[in-house]
Amino acid sequence: MNETKTILLELIEEKSWKRAKQELATLEPYQIAEIIESLPKSEQIILFRLLSREQAKETFQHLTYEEQEDIIESLAANVNKLATLLNDLDPDDRTAFFEELPGTMCQRLLQVLSKEEREIATKLLGYPEDSIGRLMTPEFVAVKSYFTVEQTLEHIRKFGHNSETLNVIYIVDDKWKLIDDIKIREIILAPPTQTISEISDNRFVSLNAYDDQEVAVEVFADLDRVALPVVGSDGTLLGIVTVDDVLDVQEEESTEDFQKFGGTEGLDLSYTKTPLLEMIKKRSGWLIILFLSEMLTASAMAFFDKEIAKAVVLALFIPLIISSGGNSGSQAASLIIRSLALNELKLRNWWYVMRKEIFSGLLLGSILGAIGLLRIFIWQKAGLYDYGEYWIWIGASVAVSLIFVVLWGTLSGSMIPFLLKKVGLDPATASAPFVATLVDVTGLIIYFTVAALFLTGKLL
């Protein structure tokens, strides 16, 4: 690939356009897209302009949104070439691109489309944001149930050239209501005189155009299908959704959940395209909430200031205690949020999760408590630090505190996502910083309470 890239750059520098086109003709669209993405912007545009009409269409769909926008801007002066590119794009890919554009630019590009393609684009953009209707393409093949196999194959030859996929053919009635879908393999293997109704079983799965795109992700995850039909509320076949578009949605949803779990709102655009002020707005909300929450940590420490003054040694283990609780909570939250997203867990499984996390928390806390006690023992006996005559009680306080703090962290991290889902919120908002902050405050209370029980009458 690097060798091909070098050759193309040399041909562009020499302005050997004919040889460059010949070199590009030997490459697959995804390979051309990889080369374009690695080039400076000025050379990206030159290379894209050398592509044939079909190559341009296929390559454009493999580019990132940022590169797509750069290409469109570069073609703005050449209206004919811009119109050709946009008209040739698959409707679902074009809709996904238009969705990312500012409203004024989207309207301007809509005017470039042909009348037929503009009607398709306007219709798709008319569905609610994040609905399945925005994902679907109207490019499919549908037949009537009374068609013979021979008529069906002739129909496919006539209208199948622009279809998104021919793996599945859809059966509709005279009012275009979906009756069934049938694999092309079954049609090919059937006798020519047999009718479609005779080889169909009237069992199919469809998506509603107004449902959320996450529904499509779940359905495709359960079924081994390359495409599914999309219907309106009256059962009319409107289009199809293909698995490649659903995988894009899944990636976007995973990215948004990851951003939320990191303690920020989901970004509407990529990191590089998000303006600075928008980035500040997305990140400041959670930071302020977490900062105010952390103030409770200071309040908790102030409440135990007398104990700290009498036994300063207790302050040495505060970072150890609260970080262990926060880490265990973040671990549990990440596991449960992902399991909920994959539908491995349902709301009704909360008691099963709680029981499991109680035992996990106790065992994990015991492991960390034993390590903490061993650390104090070694430091005391090796003379690395003198914890005083009550060092064994200090060690016991730290060990027992770790058991209860880690237990509380795992329970908090595992139950908060369930609670959020129960009230209709996204479980991913149970971000790691949020769980950690919650456990910080309560962890201090647990630590000093346990220390008071062990050290009253001794250091306290």
Side-chain angles (χ1 to χ4, degrees), residues 3 13 33 49 56 90-91 107 115 118 140 147 155 164 183 203 262 287 289 291 345 367 372 394 420 430 432 445 454:
E3 184 180 348
E13 189 176 346
R49 286 173 178 269
D90 293 333
Q107 288 299 325
K115 182 180 178 181
R118 191 185 311 127
F140 59 90
F147 279 19
H155 184 82
E164 183 86 0
K183 294 180 180 178
R203 294 170 57 194
L287 281 177
I289 293 171
F291 179 74
L345 292 174
I367 292 171
I394 294 172
L420 290 173
I445 297 172
F454 278 90

Side-chain angles (χ1 to χ4, degrees), residues 180 191 257 348 352 360:
D180 199 4
D257 287 347
R348 63 177 180 272
Y352 162 78
S360 297

Side-chain angles (χ1 to χ4, degrees), residues 176-389:
W176 274 84
K177 287 190 177 181
L178 182 63
I179 299 174
D180 199 4
D181 58 13
I182 186 169
K183 294 180 180 178
I184 188 69
R185 179 176 181 274
E186 296 178 44
I187 297 173
I188 294 173
L189 296 177
T193 56
Q194 198 168 17
T195 63
I196 293 299
S197 61
E198 291 175 330
I199 59 175
S200 63
D201 57 9
N202 295 320
R203 294 170 57 194
F204 64 92
V205 176
S206 63
L207 302 169
N208 189 292
Y210 291 93
D211 282 345
D212 191 273
Q213 292 176 0
E214 289 190 18
V215 174
V217 174
E218 293 174 4
V219 175
F220 270 91
D222 293 335
L223 303 174
D224 184 20
R225 301 291 292 274
V226 295
L228 282 173
V230 180
V231 299
S233 54
D234 61 351
T236 303
L237 180 59
L238 302 173
I240 64 171
V241 170
T242 53
V243 67
D244 58 319
D245 296 315
V246 171
L247 289 175
D248 290 339
V249 172
Q250 189 175 33
E251 182 180 358
E252 291 173 8
E253 294 293 338
S254 298
T255 300
E256 183 180 358
D257 287 347
F258 188 82
Q259 290 167 347
K260 287 180 180 178
F261 193 70
T264 182
E265 295 181 37
L267 300 181
D268 298 321
L269 302 175
S270 67
Y271 179 87
T272 56
K273 285 290 183 177
T274 302
L276 177 61
L277 291 179
E278 182 69 14
M279 184 74 74
I280 299 300
K281 180 181 176 183
K282 294 286 187 181
R283 295 169 66 175
S284 61
W286 266 112
L287 281 177
I288 293 171
I289 293 171
L290 294 171
F291 179 74
L292 294 174
S293 300
E294 285 289 359
M295 287 183 177
L296 296 174
T297 305
S299 300
M301 291 188 68
F303 184 80
F304 294 102
D305 60 345
K306 292 181 181 179
E307 286 79 0
I308 295 175
K310 291 178 182 178
V312 179
V313 69
L314 292 177
L316 297 176
F317 300 99
I318 290 175
L320 176 73
I321 300 294
I322 61 177
S323 64
S324 297
N327 291 339
S328 65
S330 299
Q331 277 187 342
S334 61
L335 291 172
I336 300 305
I337 289 171
R338 188 57 182 164
S339 294
L340 287 170
L342 295 174
N343 286 321
E344 295 173 352
L345 292 174
K346 304 289 184 183
L347 278 175
R348 63 177 180 272
N349 301 128
W350 70 271
W351 178 237
Y352 162 78
V353 173
M354 176 176 278
R355 284 188 322 229
K356 193 168 187 176
E357 289 303 317
I358 286 174
F359 288 111
S360 297
L362 286 172
L363 289 173
L364 291 170
S366 298
I367 292 171
L368 296 184
I371 294 173
L373 181 60
L374 181 62
R375 188 263 192 197
I376 292 173
F377 174 80
I378 293 173
W379 258 244
Q380 180 71 26
K381 294 301 181 181
L384 298 174
Y385 191 90
D386 183 11
Y387 293 104
E389 61 177 310

Side-chain angles (χ1 to χ4, degrees), residues 80-94:
N80 290 334
K81 188 148 189 172
L82 178 60
T84 299
L85 174 63
L86 293 176
N87 283 314
D88 285 346
L89 286 176
D90 293 333
D92 52 337
D93 293 319
R94 184 173 57 215

Side-chain angles (χ1 to χ4, degrees), residues 70-81:
D70 291 338
I71 296 297
I72 292 296
E73 288 177 358
S74 72
L75 297 176
N78 191 335
V79 178
N80 290 334
K81 188 148 189 172

Side-chain angles (χ1 to χ4, degrees), residues 45-75:
I45 308 307
I46 294 173
L47 192 60
F48 191 84
R49 286 173 178 269
L50 293 174
L51 300 176
S52 66
R53 179 172 174 173
E54 185 63 27
Q55 276 185 315
K57 167 195 167 183
E58 297 295 331
T59 302
F60 189 85
Q61 295 173 3
H62 287 283
L63 296 173
T64 64
Y65 166 71
E66 288 80 6
E67 269 96 31
Q68 288 179 341
E69 190 175 14
D70 291 338
I71 296 297
I72 292 296
E73 288 177 358
S74 72
L75 297 176

Side-chain angles (χ1 to χ4, degrees), residues 112-128:
V112 175
L113 298 174
S114 65
K115 182 180 178 181
E116 180 183 352
E117 293 297 329
R118 191 185 311 127
E119 288 177 357
I120 294 173
T122 305
K123 182 178 179 181
L124 293 179
L125 288 169
Y127 288 101

